[in-house]
Amino acid sequence: MENIISLPQIDELNIAALSRLFSNTTNSYKYLFFLSLLDILKSQHFENTPIKLQDLMVRMLVKAWYPHTYFKLSFGKQDKIAESLKSFNLPFAYSTSISSSLNEDKLIQQINSYKIDNSLMKYVPYRLMTPFFEDELRKIKKDNDKNSLIVKLCDNHFYTKKPIYKFIVVDMADAIVVHPQWIAYLRIHFSIVKAWVSWEWLKYMQKCNPNVPAVVNKLYMPQKRESLKEQTQYWKAVLAKEQVSCIYSKKILEKEAFSLDHYLPWSFLVHDQLWNLIPTFHEVNSSKSDNLPSEQYFQQFVDLQHLGLTLSHSLMPKNDWIKYVESFFSDLKISDEQSLLQKDKLKSAYETTLLPLLSLAITQGFSPGWAYTL
């Protein structure tokens, strides 16, 4: 993946060094550290206030919580972020009603209450400044020697080479203070720099999770789940035309009282495409949660999707129908309308697309074989 975001240039600052912050990165720490730094600067309204390394470490864990706990993404073989998160007992970790600001505040409070392994910060704050002092550090081999030299270099050259920050001690705690010209730069170009770091973070996580769909949608807590209004209208029209049973409970569904189930969990696919949605009862949907359905339901799922397609095709104007079922064509790789309406071809498309995704979800840790019981 090529870099598609260019950082704004300014003569007074070493933007080339900034662009090399994530060179030769083998774990997630640099991305999480810098994203956390940007968030704290913004929350402080870009005031030149010292930032404790402890606060940055907590923010790093908060940012890692969502892709790790909710989507079970890998952070890389050498990464210790997942181990740290697993050691915390976070009672709301699997909440499906995510509110970004609320959960981030709760996570910060919760993680702050634990004793955190400081090894997460053993190298990253120091090595992040390496691009500003490559010549001085080239012959230094020992890790501890590098750390201490970087601290000295950042301090001695704070107003000449202008690293992004230097290291200080505040209230007997290690901290950093960001260079005032870098604060001004990050304030003016915040959106671009945040997008650049996010892009680099995405590239790293895609490399660590090469077979995972929609990684880009699994890195950050969403502000709000999308409305299912259109998908609900689609199934309402179907249920109004014909009596339909829930594939899990076998009970007859009512057009005014049903819930939409993501056959493969939303937390795995991170989308609300119609080809993965079927009507069910609220209590059944709650029971299924983020579990993977038993293979016993696959044929019934295909049958219900086929019924929905054929009935909606007969009920809707063609242009409206095409709009509703567009994802069937694109995601299931079905080439034409006639094929979509043939049950055997629809089943074959689902076998080709959905079953491999089901296997992948199992490897990521989603619980398989769920079956509804009264």
Side-chain angles (χ1 to χ4, degrees):
M1 297 173 65
E2 296 180 359
N3 197 340
I4 60 174
I5 299 172
S6 298
L7 292 167
Q9 298 296 311
I10 179 172
D11 293 338
E12 293 83 2
L13 296 174
N14 190 347
I15 306 303
L18 173 65
S19 70
R20 296 195 301 275
L21 288 190
F22 308 115
S23 299
N24 304 315
T25 302
T26 58
N27 57 47
S28 68
Y29 305 163
K30 285 183 180 180
Y31 308 104
L32 293 170
F33 183 93
F34 204 77
L35 285 168
S36 299
L37 175 60
L38 291 175
D39 283 357
I40 290 177
L41 286 173
K42 187 177 182 181
S43 70
Q44 294 179 169
H45 305 290
F46 297 94
E47 294 180 1
N48 201 357
T49 306
I51 301 170
K52 293 181 180 179
L53 294 185
Q54 170 75 14
D55 293 338
L56 282 160
M57 184 164 55
V58 170
R59 289 269 184 168
M60 288 170 64
L61 291 166
V62 168
K63 287 194 171 297
W65 169 82
Y66 184 67
H68 165 71
T69 305
Y70 206 72
F71 296 107
K72 304 173 178 64
L73 295 187
S74 168
F75 288 79
K77 293 180 180 179
Q78 301 181 38
D79 204 284
K80 303 297 182 184
I81 287 282
E83 290 182 16
S84 296
L85 289 170
K86 286 177 183 176
S87 69
F88 303 148
N89 181 25
L90 303 177
F92 45 87
Y94 290 98
S95 169
T96 56
S97 56
I98 295 173
S99 168
S100 178
S101 60
L102 179 62
N103 270 7
E104 284 199 359
D105 290 343
K106 283 186 176 180
L107 280 165
I108 289 171
Q109 294 174 14
Q110 189 79 14
I111 292 174
N112 260 321
S113 69
Y114 289 93
K115 183 178 180 180
I116 305 173
D117 181 3
N118 290 327
S119 66
L120 295 177
M121 302 297 278
K122 188 174 182 180
Y123 301 116
V124 62
Y126 313 98
R127 301 310 164 79
L128 205 58
M129 293 300 96
T130 298
F132 290 90
F133 305 105
E134 289 172 340
D135 292 339
E136 295 89 337
L137 295 167
R138 189 164 285 118
K139 295 182 180 179
I140 306 300
K141 302 299 181 184
K142 292 183 178 180
D143 289 331
N144 288 336
D145 291 345
K146 277 190 177 181
N147 283 1
S148 58
L149 181 55
I150 289 169
V151 171
K152 187 181 296 185
L153 290 168
C154 286
D155 188 50
N156 292 343
H157 298 279
F158 196 56
Y159 294 102
T160 53
K161 290 200 171 185
K162 301 175 184 176
I164 297 174
Y165 51 77
K166 66 178 180 178
F167 300 86
I168 61 172
V169 176
V170 176
D171 299 329
M172 296 189 299
D174 292 333
I176 60 172
V177 59
V178 180
H179 192 286
Q181 285 183 261
W182 278 111
I183 287 182
Y185 178 87
L186 294 172
R187 177 179 55 80
I188 294 169
H189 304 295
F190 181 82
S191 297
I192 296 174
V193 176
K194 180 75 176 285
W196 167 69
V197 182
S198 298
W199 174 251
E200 295 294 328
W201 170 225
L202 170 61
K203 289 194 294 182
Y204 172 80
M205 289 299 282
Q206 285 188 326
K207 183 174 67 174
C208 292
N209 302 270
N211 298 315
V212 177
V215 171
V216 66
N217 295 320
K218 298 179 179 180
L219 297 183
Y220 305 100
M221 283 188 274
Q223 296 290 335
K224 186 180 179 181
R225 288 281 294 272
E226 295 294 326
S227 168
L228 296 177
K229 182 179 179 180
E230 289 188 1
Q231 297 90 326
T232 300
Q233 288 176 340
Y234 170 90
W235 280 110
K236 264 188 179 181
V238 173
L239 296 178
K241 186 69 175 179
E242 187 161 324
Q243 194 175 76
V244 175
S245 296
C246 165
I247 71 169
Y248 306 118
S249 68
K250 314 305 180 190
K251 296 179 181 178
I252 301 299
L253 292 160
E254 298 179 7
K255 69 172 184 176
E256 299 300 335
F258 66 91
S259 176
L260 285 179
D261 166 57
H262 293 76
Y263 189 73
L264 293 185
W266 179 91
S267 55
F268 173 64
L269 291 178
V270 200
H271 67 58
D272 300 309
Q273 299 291 11
L274 202 54
W275 64 264
N276 188 51
L277 289 170
I278 53 171
T280 185
F281 291 94
H282 177 74
E283 61 271 20
V284 176
N285 208 4
S286 296
S287 173
K288 182 168 175 279
S289 187
D290 284 339
N291 296 310
L292 301 170
S294 167
E295 62 182 15
Q296 66 180 288
Y297 297 117
F298 177 69
Q299 182 62 56
Q300 298 165 70
F301 169 75
V302 173
D303 290 344
L304 182 52
Q305 287 286 12
H306 181 257
L307 176 64
L309 287 165
T310 52
L311 280 178
S312 61
H313 182 262
S314 67
L315 294 171
M316 297 178 182
K318 184 171 182 178
N319 288 342
D320 291 347
W321 184 79
I322 291 293
K323 181 180 177 182
Y324 269 107
V325 303
E326 184 178 356
S327 68
F328 286 86
F329 292 113
S330 58
D331 293 1
L332 298 185
K333 306 296 188 295
I334 296 177
S335 58
D336 56 78
E337 180 181 325
Q338 184 178 359
S339 297
L340 183 59
L341 295 174
Q342 292 181 29
K343 187 184 292 188
D344 58 340
K345 291 187 177 181
L346 181 65
K347 181 181 179 181
S348 178
Y350 270 117
E351 288 173 338
T352 302
T353 303
L354 188 145
L355 295 184
L357 289 173
L358 188 64
S359 298
L360 180 59
I362 293 172
T363 66
Q364 286 189 40
F366 288 85
S367 299
W370 175 87
Y372 182 67
T373 55
L374 293 174

